[in-house]
Amino acid sequence: MNLTKLQIDALNNCVKCSICVNSCPVASVNPQFPGPKQLGVDWLRLAQEEQSQPIPAVDYCSNCKTCEAVCPSGVHVGTLNQLAKSNLPQRSLGMREEIFSDPSLLGRFIHIWPQAGNMATGLRPVKFLTEKTVGISSQAPMPAYSMKTFREMLLKYKPEFSEIPKEVVYFPGCFTQYNQPEIGMSLVKILAKLNYKVIVPDFKCCGQPAISNARLDKTKKFAEHNLDILRQELKDGRELIFSCPSCLLTFKEEYKNILGLQEYSAFTSSMQDSGQFLLNHREQLAALLRMKNAESAKYAYHEPCHLRVAGQGTPGLVLLKSLMGLDITPLEAGCCGMAGSYGLKAEKEWVSREIGNNVKDAVTNLNPQAVITECGMCSVQVNALTELPVKHPLEVLAEQIKA
Amino acid sequence: MMVVNKTKVMVIGGGTTGVGIIRDLALRGIDAVLVEQQDLAHGASFRFHGLLHSGARYAVNDFSAAKECIEENIILKKIASTCINNSGGLFVQHKTDRDEYIGEWLRGCSEAGIEVKEVSIQNVLNENPAMSRDLKRIYSVPDGIIDGARLVWANVYQAMEYGARVLTYTKLSGIYTANGKVTGAEVINTLTGQKSNWECETIINAAGTWADEVAKLTGIELNVTKNKGTLLVFNQRLTQKVVNRLRIPDDGDIIVPHHTVTILGTTSVNTDEPDSAKPTSGEVQILLDAGRELFPEIDNYRLLRAYAGVRPLYAGNGEVKDDDGRDISRDFRIFDHAHNGLNGFISLIGGKLTTYRMIAEKTVNYVCKTMGIKKKCQTAEIPLVDSKRLLTMDGKVNKFAVRYGIRGEMIQKYLQQNPEKEITLCECEDISFAEVEEVASWKSTNNLDDLRRKTRIGMGTCQGLYCSFRSLGSAWNAMKNKPQHPLRQLVCFLEKRYKGQKSVLWEAQIKECELTLGIYSTIFNLERVEENSEV
Amino acid sequence: MKYDVVVIGSGMSGMIAAAKAVSRNKNTLIITKGQGILPLTTGCIDIWGYQVNNPKAPALNPYEEIQRLAACKPEHPYARVLDVLPESIDFLKKILKNSGYSLTGSIYSNQKVLTALGTERVTALAPESMVVKDFARLKRIIAVGFNRYPDFFPQMFLDNLNTIIPQAAKIPVLIDLDIKETVRSNHLSLLLERQDILAKVEEQIRVQLLQHGIENKHYDDSMLIVLPAVLGKNPGSQVAKRLRSNFNTQVIGVPGLPPSIPGEHLQQALMIFLKRQGVEFRHNSEVVGDIRENGKITYLSVKDSTAIFHSVEAGSVILAAGSFIGGGLTAKQDSMLEPIFKLPVINPRHVGEDVPFLSLEGQGFLEAGVEVDDKLRPLKGIDNLYAAGSILAHGNYASEKSGLGIAVATGYKAGSLA
Ligand SMILES: Cc1cc2nc3c(=O)[nH]c(=O)nc-3n(C[C@H](O)[C@H](O)[C@H](O)COP(=O)(O)OP(=O)(O)OC[C@H]3O[C@@H](n4cnc5c(N)ncnc54)[C@H](O)[C@@H]3O)c2cc1C
Ligand SMILES: Cc1cc2nc3c(=O)[nH]c(=O)nc-3n(C[C@H](O)[C@H](O)[C@H](O)COP(=O)(O)OP(=O)(O)OC[C@H]3O[C@@H](n4cnc5c(N)ncnc54)[C@H](O)[C@@H]3O)c2cc1C
Ligand code: SF4
Ligand code: SF4
């Protein structure tokens, strides 16, 4: 096996301190999962001698990447796990991985008749059947599908600009596209006020779900398609913004680290979280905000793992807290356990739910009116765990923008 | 009263030479005992390079050595397969290496019977992307990788099955003679200080670097030069095959992927202090400089440790040519001290690990002749671990038989009785609790360091950080009944692990040492235990 | 956007510095490349372990020892923070309490804590779940191991304890939770939070003790039940308390190999506190350099997970990047360096010198680091850069037993000045 630079560095740098094992949410609840150190670094080193196959338990890794954020030695240990995972022999439940590895597929399909789709994914007998046939859990919360896609809504939206607008490219991601277009629309509306025209090219899925489902071939296809778009669109100093932290992380990091697509390096400095983009315009934004509400609601903030790992701080939280003066408390309870499609899988649903207990307990202790988080699948999980409304910071912000 | 024991032949030294001899004697049915002052493989047989020579390295300079190597290489791959990784080796010509040497070398190899094939540089680079692009030619040779400790123990386990006795931590301290003939020996238990006497007819001095000291016990001077070789251990495999530099043998010529690590060596400096030989920072630099020519990124690979081994070179007859010792023949010699007026005392000097079996065969043949015994050598035919024991029911290679030779069965049994001990104790080298607990319970395991040579605990990335505590704890009931106090064992173990890291204390390895210190000093306060109790 | 204070590192020293800064209403950002090494520690705050004049004897009063130390070793980090020492420890206790976590002890006395090896360590503040009331009064010690748990060995613990607590009877107990894989500390600590599992553990302990003739009536304060330090995953965990009241005996969790759950408790408690106080965090980001203007550091260059370089504007900067493990110092083949600001690193004792690995004088490389003035400033002429924690030279946390004490005191002072 020829190692990539990332793998060699991992072997060089890991001091086996086990801090990653301690922080791994899956290892905490599931003893079948030995931990990032063992599956990532230890295995890789031993495999050089014995040419052995990855440990099958690596399939339990949710790619939340908590391990990478805590490692004191800069080891990309979560990424090692994804690489190992993709070397596992193909599993029998290929159909499910096929479905999950491209959410846009299901999105486009259900979109033909969303009510039926939502009903079907909610119906008990259908759920039972999908669990038995394709291995999708009947217990897990299913994201609901929107009646209109983001693209449809965007087409209808015609903002008026007082001067010639600046342009910014936006990657909405599948969740915004098919499940919660309001996130994207909130962003578009806020940006219009800041005199930005939002360009949404015909991107494909970022490919993060395909990575977690060990379908690197798919990710690669998406990445190459998306790269072509970036080459065309990111000129004249245009920036690319994201509302979904996982999509952001995938563009910034995974394409390079997992697929080896070095070409992305040229664009990474133009990519950022939409919250950060807005923060850069904080003065203008402040002027757009309505007077602060007198009766203030209490919010909790859940920090998505991939946002943490992307190394951009929590700009959404800063916006709501320091700009809007919202009463919002960080939960700091770790991973919610959903990790994209992870928590939807029959054999992993319990792992996901147990991990989520931390978040659930923290929310119970705080007793907020709503929870705020950037990640779509986190919001599905947190909503299922707490039965509270869960919103994207952009949605909350948009509500406060003057008409 | 001192105990008196009896045997026919006593072998001094538990390196490959000694154990090869005791196995040979045992297979011939000759009553023999081996004494080793420390643990088996405490000398050069563990502190070596790990290369099963094809002989190609000696094809020009030492033709007879080349021939012996390839013959033994073929035999060992058959009889000692559990100790060998038949990786194959490469000889690579760097652009700075002389072309003229190649013709000579190819001729030597072909005459010695070493199979050499030129291979495509591109193919090699594809498989070993870390290798230099400045290579002119590459040849493949039948080199292999050999585990010295496993080899030593596999020989001993088999010898013991055939009735030989092996005493570790037993040092030869005196030789009794009468009428110009050896009559017995005094040995001392180096752990307890207890002395005992043996009656024997013949003593074979296979004490390696210490052979001159052993000979001196009878007043005989052996002219031995001691030559230190330093080796570097990298945390991971840099290549899958052995890589040799195709030039007149020099420092840092060989890179061996040994188990999970890579060993780069060696240097060659004469030394007066074989017991405290340690690598210098100058030697580390020499090796890195040499290694860099074949692996340009070598400085970006993590060094785990450096160690030194000492080779005994016969320096008689004014053959010494060069101050760095490289031109002294390393061929092995048998000295029958009958020439010095003492019958029944034989000393061995030199040789290679690769040729250990042949050395033993020649020696035992010679001893048999002097003792009038007519028994044929069988060491080339009988495998160290027979295939019945090597394979499991379903025809797979039994991991424990590979690691522990015929004693693998004992681990299997222990595991059957204690299935919960299947879990991993050492995550760096993938060693289970079952292995450690069973091996610790053996009488020949006297402390953690002995355990290390048999199981490889402490040999991986973390250099003993987890496994020393876990081994001591899990095998506590066995370890607390060993001669050394268990906490003392722990301190010594950590000390030795540190010693090898000291000369490469940078980048990740200084972190590793800080971590280890944090655990054993900050958390366990072990340095005070030392001070405050009678440990 | 400009931050009043930017802290580099989220180990103990960085977190305390940030806590202090934010308590002064400073707009504070922590940039950190990984977690600090708290999860490797015992969770005890060592302040000063042994007497300055007699390193074999435990220090009775760490604060007094440190005053003695400052007099004879003015370059030691403690000598720079004498003025805030007791105050900084109180500050730590206060903010921990705010997150529902508490440590017992004070800077004016040391206590002895048992380790998983069966040795004792001297420390100033310890989690309640490690404190034994009176070694001399113990009559029975029960060590509880878990099947397939690789890091605690009851018999080794008990045998080694014979030199410390000779009078007590010692009984090993092994619990089987019917798990088929390796049981790791984080999983075990989560399991023990569950009532049903805890009841199972209690039951098995009682049954096994009965076989040794120990009945319920024998359970009292002179009996000590010892488990590995996995008594609950969350900082506010009640596992130790519950066991104590159910058994009516003393119950402790002893620290050992990393990862350490009590260390993680400290980490979590401080992190929650800081985030809720509004300290911003940039995780998985590395500070790689700075921009200086007129004797001040104005911007920090930051590399996030994908090597983008951002500039962060800073009023003042606290360097709390740790020693070698943390990444504040790196060693090359022939030199040591501080990679961010390229501060001079001094190595008062030579690396690789011939000192035994474990010895009272300690390893020299731990004393390497950056030197600071009385205001914790490492660079002459740059007056808005401060350094704190184990990156400072001249301390030797392993042999002195001073690690987190130095981190707290220097972090606090840096946070007060920045
Ligand atoms: C740096 C280096 C690299 C090498 N690399 C290779 C290689 O890659 N391939 C290869 O084939 N060969 C290699 N060799 C050579 C090989 O290691 C030796 O030929 C071989 O190990 C010699 O074994 P031995 O038994 O003669 O000596 P040793 O292994 O040194 O054994 C001698 C033993 O005698 C014991 N002893 C001494 N005095 C007494 C006493 N009074 N009583 C009892 N016991 C005593 C010692 O404790 C010691 O264990 C290398 C050697 C060195 C130094
Ligand atoms: C195994 C072990 C056990 C110990 N046990 C104890 C104990 O029980 N009690 C005790 O009192 N002491 C103990 N110590 C000592 C104690 O842990 C340390 O002295 C102390 O934690 C140091 O804290 P720190 O904040 O200075 O550094 P660290 O905790 O190392 O934190 C450094 C931080 O800086 C970050 N960082 C580094 N470089 C950069 C960069 N370029 N950009 C951004 N961030 C960066 C790191 O990611 C990390 O977050 C122990 C030490 C070890 C090794
Ligand atoms: S990957 Fe990082 S956190 Fe995990 S053991 Fe290695 S150094 Fe520690
Ligand atoms: S990515 Fe998440 S689940 Fe996977 S090993 Fe790392 S911490 Fe564990």
Side-chain angles (χ1 to χ4, degrees):
Chain A
M1 189 195 328
N2 286 339
L3 301 188
T4 63
K5 170 114 179 28
L6 180 137
Q7 289 172 316
I8 293 171
D9 284 347
L11 295 180
N12 282 336
N13 295 334
C14 172
V15 290
K16 314 267 167 161
C17 67
S18 291
I19 287 181
C20 57
V21 186
N22 211 30
S23 304
C24 169
V26 175
S28 299
V29 302
N30 181 4
Q32 287 158 283
F33 187 74
K37 162 185 172 294
Q38 292 81 352
L39 293 164
V41 193
D42 293 344
W43 172 77
L44 185 64
R45 183 166 171 277
L46 288 166
Q48 297 311 298
E49 177 185 4
E50 309 191 333
Q51 310 289 308
S52 47
Q53 294 223 316
I55 303 164
V58 72
D59 187 45
Y60 273 108
C61 169
S62 73
N63 200 22
C64 71
K65 287 192 153 53
T66 307
C67 47
E68 293 192 5
V70 299
C71 172
S73 306
V75 177
H76 288 282
V77 56
T79 303
L80 294 186
N81 282 349
Q82 307 325 304
L83 291 169
K85 217 195 250 183
S86 69
N87 283 325
L88 279 177
Q90 277 298 312
R91 286 142 306 176
S92 50
L93 289 176
M95 158 118 141
R96 181 188 68 185
E97 276 65 33
E98 194 68 35
I99 296 174
F100 283 151
S101 58
D102 183 2
S104 67
L105 211 69
L106 198 60
R108 271 174 301 186
F109 177 70
I110 293 183
H111 178 65
I112 301 170
W113 191 17
Q115 292 101 323
N118 286 337
M119 234 166 70
T121 50
L123 279 178
R124 285 232 142 261
V126 179
K127 280 191 160 191
F128 179 79
L129 260 179
T130 31
E131 170 153 340
K132 290 296 165 237
T133 52
V134 286
I136 298 174
S137 168
S138 61
Q139 306 295 313
M142 277 293 165
Y145 285 84
S146 165
M147 306 301 273
K148 285 211 173 74
T149 63
F150 170 64
R151 183 163 290 285
E152 288 167 345
M153 290 188 180
L154 188 68
L155 277 174
K156 295 235 171 74
Y157 180 69
K158 300 268 183 290
E160 280 168 26
F161 294 102
S162 45
E163 39 189 301
I164 301 170
K166 288 174 274 182
E167 290 176 339
V168 63
V169 186
Y170 171 49
F171 183 90
C174 299
F175 193 82
T176 297
Q177 188 69 268
Y178 299 106
N179 302 86
Q180 188 110 7
E182 293 79 9
I183 299 172
M185 289 314 295
S186 302
L187 177 68
V188 172
K189 287 174 190 164
I190 301 168
L191 285 175
K193 297 273 178 192
L194 295 173
N195 203 40
Y196 273 99
K197 186 171 168 231
V198 177
I199 295 165
V200 185
D202 192 17
F203 284 115
K204 287 240 156 63
C205 171
C206 70
Q208 175 63 234
I211 293 171
S212 311
N213 287 291
R215 302 301 298 272
L216 298 189
D217 50 331
K218 270 198 181 176
T219 312
K220 186 145 196 183
K221 253 199 253 143
F222 297 152
E224 278 162 357
H225 173 93
N226 293 341
L227 184 62
D228 282 340
I229 295 182
L230 294 196
R231 284 200 191 103
Q232 286 164 28
E233 301 289 345
L234 290 195
K235 45 192 186 210
D236 317 324
R238 272 195 204 152
E239 287 180 288
L240 173 62
I241 58 176
F242 297 79
S243 54
C244 168
S246 295
C247 302
L248 170 65
L249 185 75
T250 310
F251 269 70
K252 270 175 45 149
E253 178 163 332
E254 308 275 54
Y255 289 161
K256 260 193 307 182
N257 287 349
I258 297 192
L259 304 175
L261 290 177
Q262 292 309 326
E263 294 92 324
Y264 267 91
S265 311
F267 301 109
T268 38
S269 60
S270 332
M271 298 175 191
Q272 58 185 320
D273 180 71
S274 51
Q276 185 60 49
F277 187 83
L278 293 177
L279 262 189
N280 297 345
H281 299 74
R282 60 190 303 155
E283 277 81 30
Q284 290 150 273
L285 205 55
L288 294 172
L289 288 178
R290 257 181 284 174
M291 289 298 288
K292 280 172 197 157
N293 254 340
E295 49 94 37
S296 63
K298 195 169 147 189
Y299 294 96
Y301 174 72
H302 168 72
E303 181 179 347
C305 298
H306 283 176
L307 185 62
R308 176 176 292 216
V309 184
Q312 303 216 331
T314 47
L317 174 67
V318 177
L319 271 177
L320 300 191
K321 196 170 173 155
S322 67
L323 201 67
M324 289 177 54
L326 227 56
D327 177 4
I328 175 168
T329 312
L331 289 170
E332 192 54 20
C335 179
C336 74
M338 183 50 107
S341 59
Y342 185 85
L344 305 180
K345 297 177 183 174
E347 78 281 9
K348 290 170 187 135
E349 187 271 336
W350 71 272
V351 178
S352 163
R353 197 161 18 90
E354 287 207 11
I355 295 172
N357 279 339
N358 266 351
V359 175
K360 185 178 169 178
D361 292 348
V363 171
T364 312
N365 285 340
L366 271 177
N367 194 23
Q369 269 94 330
V371 182
I372 292 172
T373 191
E374 281 91 346
C375 167
M377 288 310 280
C378 290
S379 74
V380 173
Q381 172 89 332
V382 175
N383 169 262
L385 288 168
T386 65
E387 295 175 4
L388 288 175
V390 184
K391 293 180 178 170
H392 194 286
L394 292 173
E395 294 175 273
V396 183
L397 188 65
E399 285 165 18
Q400 294 297 317
I401 299 281
K402 288 182 201 153
Chain B
M1 257 303 285
M2 274 193 210
V3 203
V4 178
N5 309 279
K6 266 176 111 163
T7 187
K8 237 184 165 71
V9 182
M10 178 176 271
V11 183
I12 316 302
T16 45
T17 312
V19 302
I21 291 170
I22 193 91
R23 167 171 177 257
D24 196 323
L25 289 164
L27 292 187
R28 298 193 211 210
I30 300 169
D31 184 36
V33 60
L34 179 146
V35 297
E36 160 59 50
Q37 63 181 355
Q38 298 247 348
D39 188 23
L40 296 183
H42 137 271
S45 304
F46 198 49
R47 310 180 71 77
F48 80 125
H49 207 151
L51 171 60
L52 177 71
H53 281 285
S54 59
R57 183 168 172 80
Y58 305 107
V60 175
N61 282 7
D62 195 344
F63 181 72
S64 58
K67 218 161 156 227
E68 286 163 5
C69 279
I70 186 62
E71 281 166 20
E72 285 302 306
N73 174 298
I74 292 164
I75 294 173
L76 291 191
K77 282 178 184 166
K78 263 199 330 251
I79 66 149
S81 64
T82 57
C83 312
I84 292 171
N85 174 344
N86 193 1
S87 61
L90 301 171
F91 270 75
V92 302
Q93 186 199 14
H94 189 258
K95 67 172 186 205
T96 57
D97 296 336
R98 279 195 316 129
D99 283 333
E100 301 84 77
Y101 184 71
I102 295 186
E104 247 180 296
W105 178 76
L106 283 172
R107 214 168 316 117
C109 286
S110 117
E111 276 167 28
I114 303 163
E115 203 182 314
V116 178
K117 268 208 291 281
E118 177 151 14
V119 290
S120 128
I121 296 184
Q122 202 46 54
N123 287 352
V124 171
L125 289 180
N126 288 346
E127 280 166 26
N128 303 283
M131 258 158 95
S132 163
R133 313 280 123 171
D134 290 334
L135 302 179
K136 286 207 303 208
R137 278 173 154 189
I138 305 184
Y139 297 88
S140 77
V141 297
D143 280 347
I145 305 159
I146 186 159
D147 183 322
R150 265 186 208 169
L151 182 71
V152 164
W153 283 104
N155 274 278
V156 162
Y157 294 147
Q158 189 176 52
M160 285 165 74
E161 262 205 334
Y162 280 80
R165 282 169 290 177
V166 174
L167 309 172
T168 55
Y169 292 93
T170 303
K171 180 176 178 161
L172 178 80
S173 47
I175 295 177
Y176 297 115
T177 60
N179 307 323
K181 225 184 121 21
V182 167
T183 58
E186 180 200 67
V187 299
I188 180 167
N189 182 316
T190 51
L191 294 168
T192 63
Q194 208 186 10
K195 287 185 176 173
S196 53
N197 285 329
W198 284 77
E199 266 176 29
C200 63
E201 295 169 25
T202 301
I203 291 179
I204 304 177
N205 170 12
T209 314
W210 298 268
D212 53 347
E213 288 169 31
V214 168
K216 220 182 240 153
L217 294 173
T218 64
I220 295 171
E221 289 282 338
L222 265 183
N223 203 352
V224 180
T225 303
K226 300 172 185 199
N227 185 261
K228 178 179 76 163
T230 291
L231 298 133
L232 301 182
V233 186
F234 294 88
N235 176 43
Q236 51 181 291
R237 283 200 163 202
L238 271 71
T239 137
Q240 293 295 344
K241 287 184 158 69
V242 176
V243 177
N244 304 263
R245 187 82 179 259
L246 184 45
R247 65 174 178 196
I248 298 167
D250 201 345
D251 285 347
D253 268 358
I254 309 180
I255 294 167
V256 180
H258 200 260
H259 293 290
T260 45
V261 301
T262 304
I263 307 178
L264 163 64
T266 156
T267 54
S268 173
V269 187
N270 288 343
T271 171
D272 296 329
E273 298 171 326
D275 287 298
S276 56
K278 56 181 180 211
T280 65
S281 59
E283 286 164 339
V284 172
Q285 288 310 326
I286 289 175
L287 290 174
L288 283 174
D289 289 345
R292 207 174 293 121
E293 295 190 327
L294 299 188
F295 290 85
E297 297 286 312
I298 203 145
D299 299 280
N300 297 334
Y301 286 86
R302 168 171 175 187
L303 270 174
L304 280 185
R305 55 193 290 119
Y307 65 95
V310 181
R311 336 169 161 90
L313 306 176
Y314 179 62
N317 303 340
E319 278 172 47
V320 187
K321 282 189 200 154
D322 190 343
D323 199 36
D324 73 358
R326 189 152 266 123
D327 287 331
I328 308 174
S329 163
R330 266 171 217 170
D331 247 328
F332 112 99
R333 283 151 216 251
I334 305 178
F335 295 91
D336 183 346
H337 297 296
H339 298 296
N340 309 85
L342 182 58
N343 284 308
F345 186 39
I346 285 169
S347 291
L348 307 173
I349 298 196
K352 281 170 250 318
L353 189 133
T354 305
T355 54
Y356 90 100
R357 193 212 58 84
M358 183 216 70
I359 295 175
E361 177 177 351
K362 288 195 175 159
T363 308
V364 178
N365 282 347
Y366 184 83
V367 169
C368 282
K369 207 170 75 198
T370 59
M371 295 174 77
I373 300 172
K374 285 201 180 109
K375 292 242 171 77
K376 254 195 70 204
C377 173
Q378 303 187 66
T379 54
E381 287 85 43
I382 301 180
L384 287 167
V385 182
D386 50 282
S387 56
K388 241 189 22 247
R389 287 158 129 172
L390 184 58
L391 301 177
T392 57
M393 301 288 223
D394 47 0
K396 286 205 190 96
V397 176
N398 183 341
K399 167 169 122 183
F400 295 135
V402 171
R403 291 184 177 182
Y404 307 100
I406 58 179
R407 291 226 178 163
E409 289 162 5
M410 296 168 76
I411 291 166
Q412 204 80 51
K413 202 164 123 217
Y414 184 78
L415 195 53
Q416 270 153 16
Q417 289 159 357
N418 307 280
E420 75 280 4
K421 299 297 183 184
E422 66 172 9
I423 62 168
T424 311
L425 183 144
C426 160
E427 289 165 352
C428 301
E429 295 291 309
D430 191 23
I431 303 158
S432 63
F433 276 87
E435 288 164 76
V436 166
E437 289 181 20
E438 173 61 24
V439 174
S441 74
W442 298 346
K443 239 185 90 200
S444 63
T445 307
N446 284 287
N447 52 46
L448 279 178
D449 213 38
D450 290 3
L451 190 63
R452 173 175 72 87
R453 276 180 290 265
K454 294 193 186 103
T455 60
R456 291 185 62 78
I457 61 160
M459 307 277 286
T461 308
C462 81
Q463 292 283 300
L465 189 145
Y466 293 93
C467 59
S468 50
F469 175 85
R470 287 182 180 160
S471 301
L472 201 63
S474 71
W476 180 254
N477 285 333
M479 297 315 262
K480 76 176 176 194
N481 290 318
K482 306 287 182 193
Q484 218 175 8
H485 189 285
L487 292 183
R488 179 83 236 157
Q489 291 178 41
L490 179 58
V491 171
C492 292
F493 184 84
L494 293 168
E495 187 67 48
K496 285 198 183 147
R497 293 290 84 199
Y498 179 58
K499 194 179 146 204
Q501 295 173 74
K502 234 156 98 174
S503 40
V504 296
L505 213 51
W506 55 72
E507 304 284 1
Q509 219 48 32
I510 197 168
K511 294 184 177 190
E512 200 72 72
C513 283
E514 184 182 351
L515 186 56
T516 312
L517 206 56
I519 292 165
Y520 291 94
S521 169
T522 315
I523 299 182
F524 291 136
N525 207 3
L526 201 52
E527 73 274 14
R528 312 275 164 177
V529 175
E530 277 278 277
E531 289 294 324
N532 296 342
S533 68
E534 62 278 42
V535 166
Chain C
M1 175 171 163
K2 182 172 170 175
Y3 293 91
D4 300 330
V5 177
V6 177
V7 179
I8 305 172
S10 64
M12 177 59 99
S13 59
M15 288 197 286
I16 291 291
K20 181 63 190 166
V22 80
S23 78
R24 293 167 53 228
N25 286 324
K26 300 282 176 185
N27 183 7
T28 307
L29 171 72
I30 291 190
I31 303 175
T32 182
K33 121 178 131 165
Q35 217 166 55
I37 63 168
L38 273 173
L40 304 177
T41 70
T42 58
C44 301
I45 311 295
D46 299 349
I47 296 179
W48 190 264
Y50 291 83
Q51 296 178 16
V52 173
N53 297 324
N54 177 13
K56 288 186 182 173
L60 301 175
N61 181 334
Y63 187 48
E64 278 177 13
E65 286 302 329
I66 290 171
Q67 284 169 324
R68 223 161 274 148
L69 168 82
C72 63
K73 200 173 173 187
E75 69 277 16
H76 195 280
Y78 270 138
R80 314 280 184 200
V81 292
L82 270 185
D83 49 337
V84 298
L85 200 44
E87 175 186 334
S88 68
I89 300 294
D90 287 342
F91 181 74
L92 169 73
K93 288 173 96 171
K94 210 175 73 204
I95 61 180
L96 288 176
K97 203 161 187 185
N98 199 299
S99 299
Y101 190 66
S102 72
L103 293 173
T104 55
S106 84
I107 190 172
Y108 305 109
S109 67
N110 267 327
Q111 46 190 327
K112 288 186 173 168
V113 166
L114 300 176
T115 75
L117 186 58
T119 53
E120 60 182 351
R121 68 191 310 279
V122 176
T123 192
L125 311 187
E128 187 118 40
S129 63
M130 283 182 200
V131 179
V132 181
K133 259 183 250 154
D134 188 355
F135 286 179
R137 275 187 41 238
L138 293 175
K139 291 205 190 103
R140 290 193 184 86
I141 301 179
I142 321 296
V144 183
F146 291 83
N147 209 356
R148 291 179 185 255
Y149 177 68
D151 295 336
F152 184 60
F153 305 97
Q155 195 62 54
M156 168 162 79
F157 170 79
L158 292 172
D159 283 346
N160 287 335
L161 221 53
N162 278 331
T163 47
I164 307 169
I165 313 177
Q167 80 281 359
K170 302 189 180 67
I171 302 157
V173 163
L174 189 67
I175 306 289
D176 191 352
L177 293 177
D178 207 22
I179 296 171
K180 295 280 165 278
E181 299 85 9
T182 306
V183 183
R184 290 181 202 286
S185 295
N186 52 351
H187 183 52
L188 190 52
S189 64
L190 194 64
L191 284 180
L192 293 185
E193 303 249 22
R194 276 169 46 185
Q195 297 279 6
D196 57 328
I197 301 274
L198 204 62
K200 210 164 148 183
V201 171
E202 274 179 46
E203 174 65 20
Q204 290 190 25
I205 294 177
R206 284 187 202 275
V207 169
Q208 290 185 41
L209 288 186
L210 206 56
Q211 290 161 3
H212 287 90
I214 300 174
E215 298 169 28
N216 282 353
K217 66 173 184 216
H218 295 121
Y219 287 61
D220 62 19
D221 228 28
S222 70
M223 178 156 134
L224 173 68
I225 299 181
V226 181
L227 293 91
V230 292
L231 304 177
K233 184 138 196 321
N234 300 311
S237 179
Q238 300 296 312
V239 176
K241 272 212 188 92
R242 251 183 245 149
L243 285 171
R244 279 178 191 174
S245 76
N246 293 357
F247 279 124
N248 192 31
T249 64
Q250 299 195 52
V251 177
I252 55 168
V254 285
L257 290 185
S260 139
I261 301 297
E264 182 75 26
H265 287 166
L266 279 178
Q267 172 79 32
Q268 280 178 27
L270 290 167
M271 195 77 113
I272 290 177
F273 176 83
L274 292 175
K275 291 216 171 166
R276 297 206 172 158
Q277 293 301 306
V279 172
E280 278 181 45
F281 270 76
R282 207 150 296 167
H283 295 276
N284 217 19
S285 298
E286 186 180 352
V287 180
V288 291
D290 69 317
I291 296 168
R292 295 169 205 188
E293 246 167 65
N294 307 328
K296 276 197 187 312
I297 289 174
T298 49
Y299 288 92
L300 293 177
S301 324
V302 182
K303 187 176 137 201
D304 72 10
S305 59
T306 52
I308 305 177
F309 292 82
H310 305 281
S311 288
V312 172
E313 195 174 359
S316 50
V317 177
I318 299 174
L319 174 62
S323 48
F324 299 99
I325 307 183
L329 301 173
T330 50
K332 301 280 170 205
Q333 294 185 15
D334 46 7
S335 62
M336 286 183 176
L337 56 101
E338 182 282 304
I340 305 173
F341 304 100
K342 316 286 182 286
L343 302 174
V345 173
I346 67 140
N347 185 11
R349 284 162 53 187
H350 177 65
V351 201
E353 65 187 342
D354 257 333
V355 188
F357 187 56
L358 295 166
S359 65
L360 294 191
E361 61 213 288
Q363 282 300 326
F365 66 80
L366 287 187
E367 288 169 34
V370 302
E371 267 181 332
V372 287
D373 65 9
D374 275 340
K375 290 193 162 157
L376 300 182
R377 289 173 307 195
L379 259 189
K380 277 208 183 71
I382 299 278
D383 60 9
N384 66 342
L385 175 65
Y386 305 85
S390 57
I391 196 170
L392 298 177
H394 302 295
N396 191 329
Y397 67 76
S399 59
E400 296 167 355
K401 317 294 167 193
S402 62
L404 292 174
I406 294 179
V408 170
T410 54
Y412 180 85
K413 183 156 179 178
S416 319
L417 296 169

